[in-house]
Amino acid sequence: MAEVKDSQPLEIQKKEYQKMVQEIQPKPTLGRNVFWAFVVGGLISVLGQLFLNFFQARGLALPEAGAATSTVLVFLAALLTGLGVYDEIAKFAGAGSIVPITGFANSMVAPAMEYRGEGLVLGVGARLFTVAGPVLVFGIVTAWIVAILYYFFR
Amino acid sequence: MPAPKKNGLQTVWFQNPPVIISTATIVGNKEGQGPLGHTFDKVVEDNYYGENTWEKAERRMLKEVMQNAIQRANLQPQNIDYLLAGDLLNQIISADFVARDLGIPFIGLYGACSTMYEGLALGAMLIDGGFAEYVLVGVSSHYSTAERQYRYPTEQGTQRPLYASWTVTGAAAAVLARQGNGPVITHATIGKAIDLGQGDPMNMGAAMAPAAADTMARHLLDTQRQPDYYDLFITGDLGTYGRELALKLMQQKGYDISNRFSDCGVLIYSPDQDAHAGGSGCACAGVVTCGYLMQEIKAGRLKRILGVATGALLSLCSYQQGETIPGIAHAVVIEGR
């Protein structure tokens, strides 16, 4: 049992207290979270595949069908965010609803709605990428690094 | 020479205990559906409360409870000597703008979620010190305004950890008077900002528990009282796990308060309301004190309580820069008369 005594030096108190916090803090429900992330993430992917097949059957080539699929998924995620449903799904789906392209759409629509009160330019315009921005920055940086490596080592 | 109205290191006692002559509360939908729903004056179904921003809604709630508290005390705003108010928003804009509308000499307070008790303690000092006849104390918080300032946009799909708390939407106000009918404030213990190295802004209970335990133990030492002197120790918003931590820390300091220790944040929501560890925010300690606790004291079911509102002193900037979170806790003794 961790013991935090006032007489201990502050650093020891902090360490002992951290132990106590760990003992009492509830464990994350990892199994359940992983399960729902898999199910919801999988369902979003299945939905995407259905759209892809649909567009291909209608005569679009694979790249165009892919773009059309993304557009539809982004639209649906934006709609569900606007209706206040997406965050309810994400509550139990976690990464399952964050990682797919729908999560990206949610992370842009949410601040757009939230900061409307601060005006179109400094509110929506400036804050649109607050959550999505880092994803873009590091995604693009990673792409550069991979491209440079590819150039030298292919 | 020690100050004449000071007991020990951090506690003051009041010669003529100031009286809480009226209180008023208002809460949001979720709080209204909680176990204490019936103890609040008004439940607002719409989180916008008819306004176009959440900030305006929060302000409207704060203004309304203040006006109600003044009215219930049969007073006019010009009778009030000081308005002590605060909230969670940057530069305490809710309190500032309500003060603009009410026209009462205004002292803005920031004690994070401990602000209600910071106000009660200071208000009682102003009155017993002879500087005021009436003091109005008020606080507010709003789930959506706090969430967007401290965390994510509300529609952002995120998973909150089980130890996270839920900011209470609501506002509370109390009128303190030199004389009158109602529960009285006999002592106040001003807490120190205490930091035991917790840095997770989602786990505010853990950041605040050491401050709560420190203030409670200090109060008992300063007043030379035993825990059984009080019917109830009630903290502001430690939540389920923070309460357990504070209980353990109190045990290590040599006090067992396990049979008389509750937390406003634990009481305000039921476990099936998806609030995880419990309620937080200025309004949490505010509405539970001005609603439920006042009613219990007036009905005689509680005679003496030690209310200890807790605050996590962090900002978005401080935790993004990797700082840990100091906690604060102010205690006020409220007795039925």
Side-chain angles (χ1 to χ4, degrees), chain A residues 1-6 10 13-14 17-18 20-21 24-29 33 81 83-87 90-95 97-98 103 106-108 110-111 113-118 130-131, chain B residues 48 52-55 144 147-149 151-160 162-163 195-198 200 203 205-210 214 240-242 244-245 248-249 251-254 274 276 324:
Chain A
M1 181 73 229
E3 205 166 323
V4 185
K5 286 271 183 204
D6 296 343
L10 189 60
Q13 279 189 50
K14 284 183 178 175
Y17 185 59
Q18 179 58 28
M20 193 192 271
V21 171
I24 286 178
Q25 189 164 296
K27 304 279 169 289
T29 46
N33 291 359
T81 304
L83 295 175
V85 177
Y86 202 88
D87 61 325
K91 205 155 59 187
F92 61 92
S97 62
I98 295 172
N106 166 252
S107 75
M108 289 190 60
M113 291 165 61
E114 187 90 20
Y115 297 104
R116 182 66 189 84
E118 278 90 327
T130 41
V131 185
Chain B
Y48 277 103
N52 59 359
T53 68
W54 287 311
E55 284 75 11
S144 300
E147 204 62 20
R148 73 198 297 240
Q149 179 180 305
R151 287 173 276 272
Y152 298 106
T154 44
E155 295 302 329
Q156 178 81 36
T158 53
Q159 225 166 17
R160 291 146 33 80
L162 293 172
Y163 48 74
D195 187 343
L196 283 191
Q198 293 298 301
D200 182 352
N203 197 356
M208 300 186 295
D214 189 80
T240 316
Y241 311 104
E244 266 182 65
L245 286 167
K248 283 232 159 70
L249 290 170
Q251 262 162 10
Q252 294 182 358
K253 291 173 195 289
D274 200 33
H276 296 205
T324 53

Side-chain angles (χ1 to χ4, degrees), chain B:
Chain B
M1 200 181 84
K5 291 188 186 174
K6 212 167 159 204
N7 267 355
L9 292 177
Q10 287 168 241
T11 305
V12 295
W13 60 277
F14 301 114
Q15 204 159 19
N16 297 303
V19 189
I20 303 173
I21 56 169
S22 76
T23 58
T25 55
I26 189 166
V27 294
N29 195 14
K30 192 181 177 99
E31 293 70 26
Q33 288 168 356
L36 300 183
H38 61 284
T39 64
F40 305 121
D41 297 338
K42 185 170 176 182
V43 177
V44 175
E45 297 299 326
D46 165 25
N47 273 355
Y48 277 103
Y49 203 8
E51 304 285 341
N52 59 359
T53 68
W54 287 311
E55 284 75 11
K56 282 186 189 159
E58 179 177 339
R59 241 172 266 161
R60 184 171 164 196
M61 289 183 192
L62 184 58
K63 187 174 168 182
E64 199 171 309
V65 289
M66 286 184 175
Q67 286 171 330
N68 287 347
I70 296 172
Q71 205 177 13
R72 280 183 191 169
N74 291 319
L75 296 169
Q76 298 292 326
Q78 56 268 29
N79 300 125
I80 310 282
D81 298 291
Y82 300 102
L83 166 62
L84 304 181
D87 58 278
L88 290 178
L89 302 186
N90 291 336
Q91 288 79 37
I92 54 168
I93 51 168
S94 308
D96 295 342
F97 284 69
V98 172
R100 176 187 68 182
D101 295 347
L102 293 182
I104 302 169
F106 168 55
I107 300 173
L109 302 180
Y110 184 79
C113 312
S114 74
T115 307
M116 187 75 209
Y117 279 65
E118 186 182 355
L120 291 175
L122 286 171
M125 288 183 200
L126 284 170
I127 289 173
D128 197 45
F131 303 106
E133 190 72 18
Y134 298 106
V135 173
L136 175 62
V137 181
V139 296
S140 65
S141 58
H142 191 302
Y143 172 77
S144 300
T145 62
E147 204 62 20
R148 73 198 297 240
Q149 179 180 305
Y150 288 99
R151 287 173 276 272
Y152 298 106
T154 44
E155 295 302 329
Q156 178 81 36
T158 53
Q159 225 166 17
R160 291 146 33 80
L162 293 172
Y163 48 74
S165 52
W166 188 279
T167 307
V168 169
T169 299
V175 175
L176 306 185
R178 198 168 58 81
Q179 48 197 2
N181 289 323
V184 296
I185 297 178
T186 64
H187 293 72
T189 303
I190 302 296
K192 294 189 282 194
I194 289 179
D195 187 343
L196 283 191
Q198 293 298 301
D200 182 352
M202 287 294 195
N203 197 356
M204 294 192 292
M208 300 186 295
D214 189 80
T215 300
M216 289 190 283
R218 175 47 60 191
H219 174 84
L220 293 171
L221 276 174
D222 283 351
T223 54
Q224 297 179 334
R225 287 174 175 169
Q226 290 305 309
D228 59 7
Y229 183 85
Y230 295 107
D231 298 329
L232 182 68
F233 289 75
I234 184 156
T235 45
D237 56 355
L238 293 181
T240 316
Y241 311 104
R243 180 186 165 277
E244 266 182 65
L245 286 167
L247 203 57
K248 283 232 159 70
L249 290 170
M250 281 299 274
Q251 262 162 10
Q252 294 182 358
K253 291 173 195 289
Y255 296 105
D256 181 12
I257 56 168
S258 53
N259 58 350
R260 56 191 73 223
F261 181 29
S262 192
D263 179 72
C264 300
V266 173
L267 295 178
I268 196 164
Y269 300 121
S270 58
D272 59 0
Q273 281 187 292
D274 200 33
H276 296 205
S280 64
C282 299
C284 187
V287 297
V288 175
T289 303
C290 292
Y292 171 70
L293 291 175
M294 281 299 139
Q295 289 158 20
E296 291 296 297
I297 292 170
K298 282 181 184 162
R301 285 187 289 271
L302 291 173
K303 289 196 174 56
R304 283 188 288 241
I305 66 163
L306 185 71
V308 190
T310 40
L313 303 176
L314 80 160
S315 78
L316 186 64
C317 169
S318 74
Y319 89 75
Q320 283 180 344
Q321 293 183 353
E323 299 285 343
T324 53
I325 306 171
I328 185 104
H330 300 302
V332 165
V333 178
I334 305 175
E335 290 192 11
R337 280 284 158 90

